[in-house]
């Protein structure tokens, strides 16, 4: 009954030190993750044939610069809220 597409963005906080934050952006199609950006790795990694092609293209394009900025904008900005909970 159709297709399932999902993007999961998460910040993983391992300590109160802002250097210990990891940003992960996963792309899922029909419940299978096909490509992921991990701020620790610093680039996209593909897990399927389609994902590998996307990762190669996105690592050479403006998408990579956008993802690299998300650690600061999205995770580190919200860290005080996370740590106060």
């Amino acid at each position: 009954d159709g297709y399932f597409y999902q993007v999961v963005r998460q910040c993983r906080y391992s300590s109160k030190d802002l250097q210990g934050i990891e940003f992960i952006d996963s792309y899922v199609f029909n419940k299978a993750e096909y490509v992921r950006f991990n701020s620790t790795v610093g680039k996209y990694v593909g897990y399927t044939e389609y994902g590998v092609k996307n990762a190669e293209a996105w690592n050479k394009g403006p998408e990579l610069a956008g993802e690299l900025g998300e650690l600061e904008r999205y995770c580190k900005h919200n860290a005080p809220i996370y740590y106060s909970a």
Side-chain angles (χ1 to χ4, degrees):
D1 295 321
Y3 298 99
F4 176 79
Y5 176 76
Q6 179 181 20
V7 177
V8 179
R9 307 182 104 197
Q10 52 184 312
C11 299
R12 293 186 180 169
Y13 301 93
S14 60
S15 68
K16 290 200 175 202
D17 177 15
L18 292 181
Q19 300 304 318
I21 300 174
E22 180 179 40
F23 173 69
I24 298 173
D25 199 3
S26 300
Y27 295 82
V28 178
F29 183 73
N30 282 349
K31 300 181 183 178
E33 182 179 29
Y34 66 94
V35 70
R36 173 188 291 185
F37 172 82
N38 183 317
S39 64
T40 303
V41 176
K43 65 179 184 177
Y44 290 96
V45 176
Y47 297 106
T48 65
E49 183 179 345
Y50 178 69
V52 169
K53 289 180 181 180
N54 278 287
E56 289 173 357
W58 295 350
N59 284 329
K60 295 176 185 173
E63 296 85 359
L64 182 61
E67 290 285 20
L68 291 170
E70 290 299 285
L71 178 66
E72 292 289 329
R73 187 192 72 78
Y74 185 69
C75 295
K76 290 185 179 180
H77 175 76
N78 291 313
I81 297 167
Y82 174 81
Y83 289 134
S84 68

